Amino acid sequence: MSAILIIEQVLNGLQFGVMLFLMAAGLTLIFGVMGLINLAHGSLYMVGAFAAAAVAGVTGSFVLALAAAMGAAAIAGVLVETLVIRRLYRADHLDQVLATFALILIFSEGTRWAFGSFPLFLDTPSWASGPVTLPGGIEYPKYRLMLIGVGLAVAAGLGLLITRTRIGIQIRAGENDREMIAALGVDISRLYTLVFALGAALAGLAGALVGAIQSVQVGMGEPVLILAFVVIVIGGIGSIKGALIGAILVGLTDTLGGIFLPEVFKLFMAPAGATATGSALASMAIYILMGAVLIWRPTGLFGARP
Amino acid sequence: MIRETWLNAATLTLLVAVPAWALVVDEPFTITLATRAVIFAIAAVGLNIALGLGGLVSLGHAAFFGIGGYAMGILAHHAQTYVPLEIGPLTLAGTKSMPVIWLTAMVTSGLAALLIGMLSLRTAGVYFIMITLAFGQMFYFFAISWPAYGGEDGLSIYVRNGFPGLNTLVPIQFYGLCLGVLLLVLGGMFLLARSPFGLALNAARQAPGRVETVGLNGQRVKLVAFVISGVITGLAGALFADLNRFVAPTMFSWQMSGELIIFIILGGTARLFGPVIGACVFVLLEHLLGGLSEFWLVYLGALLLIVVLFARGGIVGLLSGRRAVHD
Amino acid sequence: MSLLSLRNVTAFYGPAQALFDVSLDVAQGEVVALMGRNGMGKTTTVKAICRMLPARGALTFDGQDLTRLPSHRAARLGIGLVPEGRRCFANLTVTENLIAAARPGPWDMDTVTALFPRLAERRTQTAGTLSGGEQQMVAIGRALMTNPRLLILDEATEGLAPLIRDEIWQAIARIKTETGTAILVIDKSPAELARVADRAVILARGETVWTGAMDALTPEVSARFIGL
Amino acid sequence: MTDPVLRTRGLHKSFGALVATDDVTLDVRAGEIHAVIGPNGAGKSTLIAQICGTLAPDRGTVTLDGEDVTALPARDRARKGLARTFQVSALAMEDTVLQNAVLGALGARGRPWSFLRAATRDRNLRDTAEAALHRVGLIDHAATHAAELSHGQRRQLEVAIALTLAPKVFLMDEPMAGLGADGSKQMTSFLDGLRTEAPILLVEHDMDAVFALADRISVLVSGRVIATGTTAEIRSNRDVRTAYLGEDA
Amino acid sequence: DGHGGVKVGMITTLSGGGAGLGIDVRDGFLLAVAQSGRDDIEVVVEDDQRKPDVAVQLADKMIRAEKVDVMTGIIFSNLAMAVVPSATAQGKIYLSPNAGPSALAGRGCHENYFNVAWQNDNLHEAAGAYANTAGYANSFILAPNYPAGQDALTGYKRMFEGDLAGEVFTDLGQTDYAAEIAQIRASGADSVFFFLPGGMGISFLKQYADSGVDIPVVGPAFSFDQGILQAVGEAAVGVVNTSQWSKDLDNPTNAAFVESFQAEYGRLPSLYASQGFDTANLLISALETAGPDDLEAFRAALKAADFDSTRGDFAFGSNQHPIQDIYAREVIVEDGVFTNKVIGLALEDHGDVYAAECRL
Ligand SMILES: Nc1ncnc2c1ncn2[C@@H]1O[C@H](COP(=O)(O)OP(=O)(O)OP(=O)(O)O)[C@@H](O)[C@H]1O
Ligand SMILES: Nc1ncnc2c1ncn2[C@@H]1O[C@H](COP(=O)(O)OP(=O)(O)OP(=O)(O)O)[C@@H](O)[C@H]1O
Ligand SMILES: [Mg+2]
Ligand SMILES: [Mg+2]
């Protein structure tokens, strides 16, 4: 395996990691910071992708599609928050699980009802498609570079919002003690609705951006949901930095595991068996990573120590 | 309190009466459906020992359900192909005897629960949810890509396994067997919740520091609860596989774990009959709504939503008029 | 006209009634002590005022009907709360706790840390790891930083060392004279209350049983309602 | 004089740059109440945590009845006779008062591995628990859920659980906190009688109670013991007055 | 005519991710039933949610409660493996409109089981054969790591005579293929074969097109079918794929089918719709001679396969799996719609290798 291929694969891993962060960003806010278990987050991601596909189909404009994705997901988020989640802040986490599980069913099948059972078309815009040549002769899709940029920008923006602004402080205070922060004069309900909408909009944005290079179909949100939870937990709940680092770790593990594990097994096994075993292990790799991280650090890499 | 007892009695009566009625009017599928509900109930009661009493929200209990299923699948597969099972130097004949299969299922899922529990109990809260999920997913991906027993296609058994003195191929007899197991498990749960062990477990959930300061090892209590819970769910897995005469990696999927949790919340957390009622209602809804329209899952979602929003403490909480024990 | 006024207020925890008939007034610049044995409804009265518990009856602040307002609107009228049990935001640092709900006014970071120099030392520590007394200082500072017109102190000196406690009582006296802030104070030490409070209201079983000037609080009254 | 029941030697603990416990050496003798007082953040709770084992010291030892227990986890120390009450009540809130007390009795027995018989029907457990509830005056509330207790009653329950353990030493962190005037009085007289059963290490800011109860007082400032002595000695100690009590105490 | 009615139990995937396939099979099947004009064919349709255990329960219900004579409908191999063996063992006829796992074609074949679509390896074998005729000598091959994926690579390798530049198993449900594409770029391959059903194929093709790698791609029809093709879009144009059916196959049955399907449902038919349609027509043709009350005769009538299939010639091999032509198709744009055009025959009268193991 050539050095340049290895470098390229590491780059792919980093890129995939940043993409994972983009997918996890909204969840970082809703689950990581606000402490709400929202299983329907993947549905918001799907809503974004479908809205983008619909708008891109009609207008042909990718930028409008992105705006529509964020808008539609934010509206869905506000509806979900005000109609369902708001009643469950005081409740057990388990009630949130059941309620948002129910929402997944409603969103998924509702979308299928509206858009049919077949995947929709959403492609990268012409100005961002095709490869560019990086130093060292690596050819890299332009669109993916753009995704990295957006992902890092979102990470920086969220980090600033949460740690540096008063809104961020109030959100975190609300997670600690909602009643108390309200008694100090902060309209925590409205703030939470807004933050939830922001988280939803980020999910929608990710759905649209990532949907353009993947398939836009019903159920696309569920694998993402699990991955996003994995990312946040590895990084430590509540930490944006942790989520970014967790995402990159997962991206690298997944990409490099898939490539190198079969090779490693070929060193001491018959090729057919090695490929199968290596691939099997590779598909478990991120879960093994999460298990190992949590055994080593029970509250994730950057989570608050109890 | 009184009303909850009545509710439990009513549930038991229905569990006996409905299949009996189905037998009389010759509706064997109703019996199958009831068997499915009862087996899910066993699995969920098992999970509820960890989740309801111990506060251990495991999103990886499908691992034990699946292990139980594969214990049945593998043993029966070897029996039906007359190829002995070789584990290292050990050579075992397959078997079609339920008691042997059950024992194997319980021992293997117990061992798995011990291992997973020891590692997972280092964490708490949401981290615990996620690390158990991780273990479940490892089993899932392993089962999918492990070719020996069918990989993703799963493993079919042609004839249901036998139980001494019963003809398990007759639906009502197999149902009776499963109901018997459920009653045993419920009885065990009832005693356990009130026992010194249950008391310590309950306290370890509510005030972990307190348990340590009276000199008890709260973590070990939780671990034992997790193992007991895994064993019961594993047994349910073996029964489920026997009901379908089929095992597949989907038994390991996180959706399966999620469904077990849904049964518990739907019925009422930490209620003796919560998981039973939750499982029965869910299976019934699935059956009734499934025929309604292509988009029946929307109705299911809406119904579940109504339960969470308006019936705190699940169905038992709603019907017995008492708020959830813990909130 | 009084700043805060409660007339025949009742309140429930779920089905259980906790307040039966509470009436009290706090005028601008006045310090009122709310007294009573354990479990008589002092904290519940505070919760009713701060809209943390639904209540019936006449509840007004600066002429506005409080019963119609959500908690944060009531606070924004100028009610600052130091709650029973401190309730600091455990995962936030000391500084973040203080500025989370701050509103402009004479109390700011500088004046609060001048009052509690200890907090300046522990500025970047998360509140959850503070000592009990330090947390109490955070809770008081946090309420002051909202620059309230009425400050409510529910057991604000619990767990504080005698020296600090003295300082707090002095600070209360200062707040009263310098800023004209009204204060409703609950504390277990009648001697200290006697020094700063103008008037006292005594609750028993969820009812106002005695109201009067502080110096009218005779030992007989104390013995009867407070157990001293 | 007999050997002290509990003794710490050179206990040291720092959090980053902050030294929370600085070479603390003190002891608790049979039959006495030894009070530890000091400004907020002086390290009193941290000291208790190290003695009962929830926090590991950087260095130093804790000896109980002549045995070095420094390496033991909290629960083993509890089994060996260290009973603590919490500054903030830590009870199983959904359980009844009786169940909470039975938990203590179960801890004293040491083996929770009994799965069938109801815990509250076990004669031994129940007797121990009821005796303790009786002593703190909670026996009438045995069937009440802990969540429905008032603040003061919860403190009584804390003490009852400690009693079921029949410990060698009680560690009490601010037992008077949140009690009203009459509640404090009752608690004071209760603790007064308790010392004959087992000595008490008492952390408390209520000086009336401390001066009424303590046989000896240690003063902790910035993690360091600056004085140990009888009530009278401490009252008149200049350093203590400036650091903690204030001039008019 | 005289041979009484028949009750058909259709278990297929109608909700969730794979619903599109099941809906097409159902619609194709019902169309044929409707066109036959027979009102003595009763079809009971149930949704298996793509869960094997649900499928098993439904099969039980069909057999015990609905008392159906014939079963059909299952899309996914793993569900077929769960349902078919026990259904056929209980004396029910099963007509597979889609899945064709090797286990049911070889030693596990059964006199009551008929596959009307293909054996799972067939389209992959055809892709291998096509690669030979196209002159490819060095292929990079990839598929997800599960039985159908393993079968796919085996099938391709069985026919392909060139070398392998690489062989990769991806994760089931994987959505990002940057790493595999980089491997392809570096491998020096002259062709790529992939089997990635559903959303996986869409993701792969889009990302492949965007990567600038321009090594030609072949694959089975599943990623290029009518329903899915619109979602892949431009990225698929020009790709060669193998299929036993195509919309433009020139025979009267097919022309009528395409037209009537479009008229009935307002969309172009897919591969799956054609399979559902053929399955129903097979059943209808058999009913002309015998009914399920005479199982022996009914099986013989089915085996004769005396019906006009949408794919032209159709016959059953000894293991009751199809012997049929498999075509190479190319993706084109036609009136702004992405679709396929037959460009040649990949395999003629092709059966499957497992038939030899079948003792029927
Ligand atoms: N969350 C609650 N649910 C039910 N009852 C409660 C709740 N909180 C308090 N109570 C009851 O309401 C009554 C008044 O309690 P409150 O806390 O107002 O007393 P308090 O005067 O503040 O006492 P203390 O001096 O102990 O703080 C008590 O009898 C108490 O048992
Ligand atoms: N985990 C920690 N990390 C950093 N600092 C800590 C931690 N725990 C305690 N401290 C600091 O150590 C000091 C001692 O705390 P401790 O709780 O022992 O004080 P205390 O004497 O009990 O005070 P109080 O009387 O107010 O309860 C305090 O300044 C506290 O902020
Ligand atoms: Mg109070
Ligand atoms: Mg302290």
Side-chain angles (χ1 to χ4, degrees):
Chain A
M1 204 171 279
S2 70
I4 189 119
L5 180 58
I6 293 179
I7 295 175
E8 194 175 339
Q9 296 297 26
V10 171
L11 202 63
N12 279 329
L14 286 175
Q15 183 274 129
F16 185 45
V18 176
M19 201 157 94
L20 283 178
F21 177 80
L22 191 60
M23 304 196 285
L27 196 65
T28 315
L29 211 55
I30 294 173
F31 170 66
V33 183
M34 288 164 59
L36 264 175
I37 298 194
N38 177 25
L39 295 184
H41 189 77
S43 302
L44 298 170
Y45 174 89
M46 176 184 73
V47 165
F50 272 82
V55 169
V58 174
T59 66
S61 156
F62 192 67
V63 175
L64 277 184
L66 290 186
M70 295 182 72
I75 291 170
V78 169
L79 287 177
V80 166
E81 204 274 348
T82 48
L83 296 180
V84 179
I85 304 275
R86 178 169 291 184
R87 301 156 179 269
L88 299 176
Y89 285 120
R90 283 159 184 270
D92 200 300
H93 270 340
L94 286 176
D95 280 346
Q96 298 171 2
V97 169
L98 182 55
T100 53
F101 171 80
L103 285 174
I104 295 186
L105 297 181
I106 295 173
F107 270 113
S108 290
E109 296 303 291
T111 310
R112 206 162 64 80
W113 176 75
F115 289 92
S117 298
F118 290 103
L120 293 198
F121 175 71
L122 177 66
D123 207 354
T124 54
S126 54
W127 44 265
S129 54
V132 287
T133 309
L134 300 182
I138 298 174
E139 284 207 356
Y140 218 74
K142 219 187 281 175
Y143 187 76
R144 287 178 181 253
L145 288 180
M146 189 182 97
L147 282 190
I148 296 182
V150 176
L152 292 178
V154 168
L158 275 187
L160 288 179
L161 174 75
I162 294 309
T163 56
R164 290 291 138 75
T165 66
R166 236 162 69 109
I167 291 198
I169 294 173
Q170 289 172 349
I171 299 167
R172 285 183 287 141
E175 212 256 303
N176 268 237
D177 191 337
R178 246 179 101 76
E179 191 183 48
M180 193 58 224
I181 189 74
L184 288 169
V186 175
D187 186 353
I188 193 72
S189 296
R190 205 191 52 187
L191 186 60
Y192 265 37
T193 308
L194 286 178
V195 176
F196 199 91
L198 175 61
L202 286 176
L205 175 70
L209 282 173
V210 177
I213 54 166
Q214 295 182 355
S215 71
V216 177
Q217 61 181 9
V218 172
M220 65 188 283
E222 280 153 50
V224 172
L225 173 76
I226 292 278
L227 270 184
F229 271 112
V230 167
V231 158
I232 292 172
V233 164
I234 287 181
I237 296 164
S239 162
I240 310 273
K241 180 172 74 172
L244 182 62
I245 292 179
I248 289 175
L249 268 180
V250 169
L252 281 173
T253 308
D254 194 57
T255 303
L256 300 183
I259 306 293
F260 293 112
L261 277 174
E263 300 297 320
V264 170
F265 278 88
K266 272 181 199 153
L267 296 179
F268 52 87
M269 273 176 82
T275 312
T277 318
S279 307
L281 214 59
S283 56
M284 291 184 244
I286 59 168
Y287 297 102
I288 296 176
L289 173 75
M290 172 162 80
V293 166
L294 290 185
I295 288 165
W296 172 50
R297 287 192 167 222
T299 54
L301 295 175
F302 296 95
R305 299 279 171 278
Chain B
M1 199 63 175
I2 304 301
R3 270 164 75 182
E4 190 174 335
T5 314
W6 275 107
L7 188 65
N8 295 351
T11 310
L12 276 182
T13 314
L14 281 179
L15 282 178
V16 174
V18 169
W21 166 81
L23 188 68
V24 173
V25 301
D26 192 26
E27 285 267 5
F29 183 66
T30 306
I31 301 180
T32 309
L33 213 57
T35 316
R36 180 179 164 86
V38 163
I39 294 173
F40 278 148
I42 299 171
V45 171
L47 173 59
N48 205 23
I49 292 178
L51 187 148
L53 296 181
L56 302 170
V57 183
S58 163
L59 192 50
H61 253 51
F64 313 125
F65 198 61
I67 288 175
Y70 270 87
M72 134 40 195
I74 291 172
L75 286 176
H77 172 77
H78 284 280
Q80 106 189 345
T81 55
Y82 303 104
V83 183
L85 171 62
E86 286 176 23
I87 311 167
L90 228 66
T91 306
L92 296 173
T95 175
K96 303 236 20 155
S97 151
M98 277 194 199
V100 179
I101 288 173
W102 290 2
L103 194 69
T104 316
M106 289 162 75
V107 170
T108 42
S109 48
L111 286 175
L114 183 67
L115 195 75
I116 294 178
M118 277 196 314
L119 296 171
S120 302
L121 277 168
R122 293 173 51 85
T123 65
V126 173
Y127 294 99
F128 183 85
I129 300 183
M130 294 305 288
I131 194 171
T132 48
L133 167 76
F135 283 111
Q137 291 291 86
M138 286 181 213
F139 277 95
Y140 175 69
F141 282 110
F142 178 74
I144 278 196
S145 48
W146 186 38
Y149 295 103
E152 208 218 6
D153 285 352
L155 200 57
S156 275
I157 301 305
Y158 300 119
V159 185
R160 188 169 286 154
N161 297 303
F163 191 89
L166 289 180
N167 179 0
T168 54
L169 291 174
V170 179
I172 194 74
Q173 297 204 12
F174 185 59
Y175 175 78
L177 192 61
C178 295
L179 185 62
V181 172
L182 175 64
L183 292 181
L184 274 180
V185 167
L186 279 174
M189 171 94 176
F190 176 82
L191 293 177
L192 187 123
R194 281 154 184 73
S195 72
F197 175 79
L199 186 79
L201 180 62
N202 227 323
R205 166 171 59 82
Q206 300 171 54
R210 161 59 63 200
V211 176
E212 298 286 314
T213 47
V214 299
L216 295 175
N217 189 338
Q219 288 299 90
R220 192 168 299 163
V221 169
K222 284 184 177 174
L223 180 61
V224 170
F226 193 75
V227 171
I228 295 177
S229 160
V231 165
I232 295 175
T233 306
L235 174 61
L239 290 171
F240 190 66
D242 239 327
L243 171 68
N244 298 329
R245 274 158 281 135
F246 172 75
V247 276
T250 43
M251 280 182 80
F252 283 117
S253 67
W254 71 271
Q255 286 91 342
M256 187 70 238
S257 302
E259 263 176 34
L260 293 182
I261 296 183
I262 302 294
F263 297 154
I264 295 178
I265 312 173
L266 184 61
T269 316
R271 314 286 191 132
L272 183 60
F273 271 70
V276 181
I277 293 175
C280 291
V281 168
F282 194 89
V283 168
L284 196 68
L285 283 180
E286 213 175 33
H287 176 67
L288 293 181
L289 297 178
L292 272 181
S293 104
E294 235 172 72
F295 303 103
W296 65 276
L297 288 171
V298 173
Y299 305 124
L300 179 64
L303 275 173
L304 292 181
L305 206 54
I306 289 171
V307 171
V308 220
L309 290 183
F310 301 106
R312 286 291 167 71
I315 297 173
V316 182
L318 179 72
L319 295 183
S320 72
R322 193 162 62 99
R323 277 186 55 81
V325 188
H326 60 92
D327 209 340
Chain C
M1 198 193 79
S2 59
L3 185 61
L4 174 75
S5 153
L6 276 69
R7 285 282 165 280
N8 313 110
V9 169
T10 57
F12 293 79
Y13 286 105
Q17 186 162 8
L19 295 188
F20 293 85
D21 180 11
V22 174
S23 300
L24 66 84
D25 288 278
V26 184
Q28 197 87 45
E30 187 186 30
V31 177
V32 174
L34 187 57
M35 302 168 82
R37 290 192 170 97
N38 279 125
M40 289 307 173
K42 304 183 292 295
T43 301
T44 310
T45 304
V46 169
K47 285 190 176 170
I49 296 170
C50 294
R51 313 300 310 122
M52 296 155 94
L53 194 69
R56 296 231 206 91
L59 246 159
T60 59
F61 183 80
D62 201 12
Q64 298 212 40
D65 182 1
L66 282 179
T67 50
R68 293 172 192 285
L69 299 182
S71 185
H72 70 274
R73 294 272 305 280
R76 292 196 152 252
L77 292 178
I79 302 177
L81 171 66
V82 180
E84 182 177 59
R86 306 175 189 126
R87 297 176 77 167
C88 295
F89 304 119
N91 294 341
L92 271 56
T93 64
V94 169
T95 309
E96 288 173 341
N97 262 283
L98 293 177
I99 63 176
R103 287 194 289 276
W107 289 106
D108 56 19
M109 216 51 198
D110 293 336
T111 42
V112 167
T113 45
L115 179 63
F116 301 119
R118 183 103 205 155
L119 293 187
E121 288 167 33
R122 313 236 65 84
R123 199 163 22 216
T124 58
Q125 189 172 331
T126 48
T129 62
L130 292 175
S131 85
E134 289 164 345
Q135 290 185 8
Q136 194 65 61
M137 299 176 203
V138 168
I140 299 172
R142 184 176 67 180
L144 288 176
M145 296 242 328
T146 67
N147 287 293
R149 292 152 69 195
L150 169 70
L151 182 64
I152 301 180
L153 299 160
D154 193 350
E155 313 265 8
T157 63
E158 177 185 325
L160 289 178
L163 207 58
I164 306 285
R165 212 172 334 192
D166 279 348
E167 281 176 27
I168 300 230
W169 290 116
Q170 283 164 25
I172 291 172
R174 258 205 339 263
I175 293 166
K176 170 182 155 186
T177 50
E178 289 171 16
T179 64
T181 309
I183 298 175
L184 181 65
V185 54
I186 298 170
D187 202 89
K188 70 184 222 179
S189 158
E192 313 272 21
L193 286 175
R195 280 198 291 165
V196 295
D198 304 311
R199 291 189 311 116
V201 174
I202 300 180
L203 298 186
R205 293 197 186 77
E207 279 181 45
T208 304
V209 289
W210 191 89
T211 306
M214 205 65 210
D215 37 26
L217 187 65
T218 57
E220 294 74 56
V221 178
S222 289
R224 179 145 163 240
F225 296 119
I226 310 173
L228 264 178
Chain D
M1 193 187 285
T2 54
D3 271 349
V5 182
L6 176 75
R7 146 178 287 165
T8 73
R9 281 255 182 282
L11 274 189
H12 191 96
K13 177 79 196 175
S14 46
F15 296 107
L18 174 85
V19 179
T21 309
D22 192 355
D23 268 328
V24 171
T25 298
L26 53 78
D27 56 26
V28 182
R29 299 174 196 146
E32 77 166 349
I33 292 182
H34 187 158
V36 175
I37 61 174
N40 295 115
K44 302 178 295 296
S45 297
T46 311
L47 177 65
I48 296 247
Q50 289 168 82
I51 294 175
C52 74
T54 47
L55 188 70
D58 296 335
R59 56 174 184 270
T61 58
V62 179
T63 345
L64 179 65
D65 235 4
E67 181 188 358
D68 184 349
V69 297
T70 322
L72 296 182
R75 60 174 174 275
D76 290 348
R77 296 188 201 192
R79 301 269 295 281
K80 289 196 181 295
L82 270 175
R84 96 176 273 193
T85 64
F86 286 86
Q87 187 169 357
V88 179
S89 298
L91 300 166
M93 289 297 176
E94 293 159 21
D95 288 355
T96 62
V97 167
L98 179 66
Q99 282 171 321
N100 271 284
V102 166
L103 180 73
L106 191 60
R109 179 196 280 180
R111 283 166 289 105
W113 313 118
S114 160
F115 298 88
L116 297 180
R117 181 141 41 109
T120 46
R121 297 249 171 84
D122 183 314
R123 272 249 73 82
N124 291 336
L125 293 179
R126 199 185 168 110
D127 287 349
T128 315
E130 283 178 346
L133 291 178
H134 195 79
R135 287 189 55 193
V136 300
L138 268 184
I139 192 71
D140 294 338
H141 292 88
T144 312
H145 284 268
E148 293 160 19
L149 292 183
S150 82
H151 192 75
Q153 289 167 328
R154 287 181 193 177
R155 298 235 73 105
Q156 290 172 315
L157 181 51
E158 284 270 341
V159 175
I161 296 176
L163 285 177
T164 59
L165 296 175
K168 292 181 185 137
V169 185
F170 289 101
L171 305 173
M172 297 198 178
D173 199 353
E174 302 198 33
M176 316 283 171
L179 291 185
D182 52 345
S184 298
K185 251 187 338 203
Q186 280 168 21
M187 182 65 84
T188 307
S189 70
F190 179 76
L191 295 183
D192 200 17
L194 193 60
R195 79 179 96 193
T196 53
E197 237 160 279
I200 303 172
L201 183 70
L202 175 70
V203 170
E204 187 51 63
H205 286 300
D206 181 338
M207 283 308 116
D208 297 337
V210 169
F211 290 140
L213 283 172
D215 300 295
R216 285 189 302 152
I217 299 177
S218 289
V219 184
L220 211 58
V221 176
S222 302
R224 182 177 283 279
V225 180
I226 59 162
T228 299
T230 62
T231 305
E233 284 163 10
I234 295 297
R235 244 187 219 276
S236 56
N237 183 316
R238 279 225 65 79
D239 292 345
V240 177
R241 296 183 76 90
T242 50
Y244 183 65
L245 295 174
E247 291 307 322
D248 51 353
Chain E
D1 20 37
H3 297 287
V6 66
K7 193 162 180 186
V8 179
M10 174 182 281
I11 301 172
T12 194
T13 305
L14 298 174
S15 63
L21 284 61
I23 290 172
D24 272 5
V25 163
R26 180 194 64 188
D27 290 352
F29 192 97
L30 294 180
L31 181 67
V33 172
Q35 286 178 357
S36 75
R38 296 184 66 134
D39 52 10
D40 56 351
I41 303 180
E42 188 190 342
V43 186
V44 188
V45 183
E46 291 276 2
D47 172 19
D48 61 33
Q49 304 172 52
R50 204 178 173 170
K51 293 180 185 165
D53 56 287
V54 174
V56 170
Q57 304 284 317
L58 290 173
D60 199 54
K61 176 180 172 189
M62 297 273 183
I63 293 169
R64 288 174 185 273
E66 304 281 356
K67 308 217 164 27
V68 301
D69 312 299
V70 174
M71 291 172 65
T72 184
I74 293 180
I75 301 297
F76 298 97
S77 291
N78 57 333
L79 273 67
M81 289 301 298
V83 166
V84 173
S86 94
T88 51
Q90 292 176 67
K92 300 297 163 192
I93 299 291
Y94 186 87
L95 306 175
S96 175
N98 195 63
S102 52
L104 298 180
R107 268 195 302 190
C109 67
H110 194 281
E111 54 179 0
N112 289 342
Y113 172 72
F114 296 83
N115 186 306
V116 200
W118 22 256
Q119 196 283 315
N120 277 359
D121 299 5
N122 287 163
L123 302 194
H124 314 299
E125 290 167 340
Y130 169 79
N132 296 333
T133 49
Y136 301 146
N138 195 15
S139 283
F140 190 102
I141 63 177
L142 71 160
N145 195 20
Y146 76 123
Q150 287 144 8
D151 287 354
L153 298 192
T154 315
Y156 184 81
K157 288 190 282 188
R158 188 175 295 132
M159 289 292 171
F160 182 59
E161 289 157 2
D163 298 324
L164 291 186
E167 178 175 0
V168 164
F169 284 116
T170 61
D171 292 350
L172 195 59
Q174 182 170 326
T175 51
D176 195 77
Y177 292 91
E180 286 77 9
I181 292 169
Q183 272 179 301
I184 292 171
R185 191 201 310 271
S187 69
D190 65 358
S191 53
V192 174
F193 166 76
F194 79 99
F195 164 62
L196 294 167
M200 293 185 279
I202 301 178
S203 303
F204 175 77
L205 282 168
K206 280 184 178 177
Q207 293 166 22
Y208 190 77
D210 206 28
S211 71
V213 181
D214 51 8
I215 304 168
V217 173
V218 289
F222 310 119
S223 296
F224 304 92
D225 195 51
Q226 205 56 47
I228 211 171
L229 207 45
Q230 313 313 316
V232 188
E234 202 65 42
V237 172
V239 176
V240 173
N241 63 94
T242 51
S243 173
Q244 85 285 5
W245 175 85
S246 189
K247 174 171 78 56
D248 58 341
L249 276 186
D250 191 14
N251 66 62
T253 315
N254 195 38
F257 162 64
V258 172
E259 198 193 311
S260 58
F261 189 93
Q262 214 168 353
E264 178 74 27
Y265 300 109
R267 62 178 195 269
L268 282 175
S270 68
L271 185 64
Y272 312 103
S274 83
Q275 291 165 182
F277 188 79
D278 281 352
T279 305
N281 277 326
L282 168 71
L283 175 69
I284 293 161
S285 76
L287 287 174
E288 298 292 324
T289 15
D293 40 343
D294 181 358
L295 209 53
E296 195 76 24
F298 187 51
R299 275 197 297 258
L302 283 167
K303 184 144 189 180
D306 185 16
F307 72 107
D308 294 324
S309 99
T310 57
R311 38 193 131 152
D313 294 344
F314 182 97
F316 280 121
S318 62
N319 59 348
Q320 304 181 160
H321 279 60
I323 295 183
Q324 58 190 347
D325 297 341
I326 300 175
Y327 305 92
R329 314 186 298 183
E330 186 181 320
V331 179
I332 57 162
V333 192
E334 190 182 81
D335 308 329
V337 178
F338 297 94
T339 188
N340 285 287
K341 189 180 78 172
V342 173
I343 57 167
L345 198 58
L347 285 171
E348 194 171 0
D349 282 342
H350 183 63
D352 60 89
V353 293
Y354 304 101
E357 294 170 25
C358 169
R359 285 173 304 219
L360 272 183

